[in-house]
Amino acid sequence: AQSVTQLGSHVSVSEGALVLLRCNYSSSVPPYLFWYVQYPNQGLQLLLKYTSAATLVKGINGFEAEFKKSETSFHLTKPSAHMSDAAEYFCAVSDRRTGGFKTIFGAGTRLFVKA
Amino acid sequence: NAGVTQTPKFQVLKTGQSMTLQCAQDMNHNSMYWYRQDPGMGLRLIYYSASEGTTDKGEVPNGYNVSRLNKREFSLRLESAAPSQTSVYFCASSEWAGTGGGETQYFGPGTRLLVL
């Protein structure tokens, strides 16, 4: 069975500091991995996804994530936080066999950015 | 191109009342989903529809019914609302892009439901 664990329900960084949001997954088959972002009062939108083409995935707004099979991790990073990055971030995993029908979302990490 | 739209944006119900949440997408996607979002629990799948004319239960289907009216529209019905159904409901749609592309879900703006 698939599962996703996001470490830390809240993360606070200063503007300009490194952003690191942690995600570990469990999957019995090669997974697709996603990071979605949710701004206040909005739906989720895709930030980036891993589909096995490259282990380092670049997304929108300067975010990137690295797939590490040995660590079963897919952590999200951004070198320099901006105030506009304040949002909730969700890691998700889906099964290559069943696709989006079995996408499992993590509980989410709320990112706070201090001026 | 509006993407995924949901109505209403906000609704207050009394226990036992019924209502239907509407969802439509204009991206010609085959697959559509209904999720609920609760604090600290991420998104949980209520029902999904792999294609027009088919629907299947997700993780938390009890108390809900769905209808895939056509390729564009997928509605969620609460027959007898309960306070435990207070939540934010999101509709999403997706299309399979093959093993190289995977499947990205596109979400609507959500419906906030309060059951008193």
Side-chain angles (χ1 to χ4, degrees), chain A residues 72-93:
Chain A
T72 62
S73 69
F74 190 57
H75 301 331
L76 182 70
T77 60
K78 182 174 180 178
S80 177
H82 191 273
M83 297 296 287
S84 61
D85 295 327
E88 189 153 23
Y89 293 80
F90 293 91
C91 183
V93 59

Side-chain angles (χ1 to χ4, degrees), chain A residues 32 34 36 38 40-46 49 51-52 88 90 94-96 98-103 105-108, chain B residues 31 33 35 37 40-43 45 48-50 57 90 94 96 98-109 112:
Chain A
Y32 291 115
F34 308 82
Y36 286 86
Q38 184 181 31
N41 300 314
Q42 294 186 26
L44 280 69
Q45 57 183 279
L46 182 70
K49 66 179 177 182
T51 60
S52 83
E88 189 153 23
F90 293 91
S94 72
D95 188 329
R96 287 175 180 274
T98 55
F101 313 140
K102 295 295 183 183
T103 298
F105 289 84
Chain B
S31 304
Y33 312 81
Y35 292 92
Q37 182 181 29
M41 302 188 75
L43 274 73
L45 183 63
Y48 65 91
S49 171
K57 295 178 180 179
F90 288 99
S94 72
W96 177 248
T99 55
E103 190 159 357
T104 298
Q105 296 193 21
Y106 296 84
F107 287 82
R112 280 166 172 70

Side-chain angles (χ1 to χ4, degrees), chain A:
Chain A
Q2 295 174 292
S3 66
V4 174
T5 302
Q6 290 185 240
L7 300 175
S9 59
H10 297 85
V11 170
S12 182
V13 300
S14 298
E15 193 172 19
L18 172 72
V19 175
L20 172 60
L21 305 182
R22 299 176 188 273
C23 173
N24 287 90
Y25 71 92
S26 172
S27 178
S28 58
V29 297
Y32 291 115
L33 294 161
F34 308 82
W35 277 99
Y36 286 86
V37 60
Q38 184 181 31
Y39 297 104
N41 300 314
Q42 294 186 26
L44 280 69
Q45 57 183 279
L46 182 70
L47 204 54
L48 51 80
K49 66 179 177 182
Y50 166 75
T51 60
S52 83
T55 56
L56 182 62
V57 182
K58 294 188 184 298
I60 60 172
N61 300 335
F63 284 93
E64 62 182 37
E66 186 171 8
F67 171 68
K68 292 187 176 180
K69 185 178 179 180
S70 61
E71 299 177 9
T72 62
S73 69
F74 190 57
H75 301 331
L76 182 70
T77 60
K78 182 174 180 178
S80 177
H82 191 273
M83 297 296 287
S84 61
D85 295 327
E88 189 153 23
Y89 293 80
F90 293 91
C91 183
V93 59
S94 72
D95 188 329
R96 287 175 180 274
R97 296 169 303 179
T98 55
F101 313 140
K102 295 295 183 183
T103 298
I104 305 298
F105 289 84
T109 297
R110 186 167 295 278
L111 176 66
F112 297 92
V113 182
K114 300 175 290 186

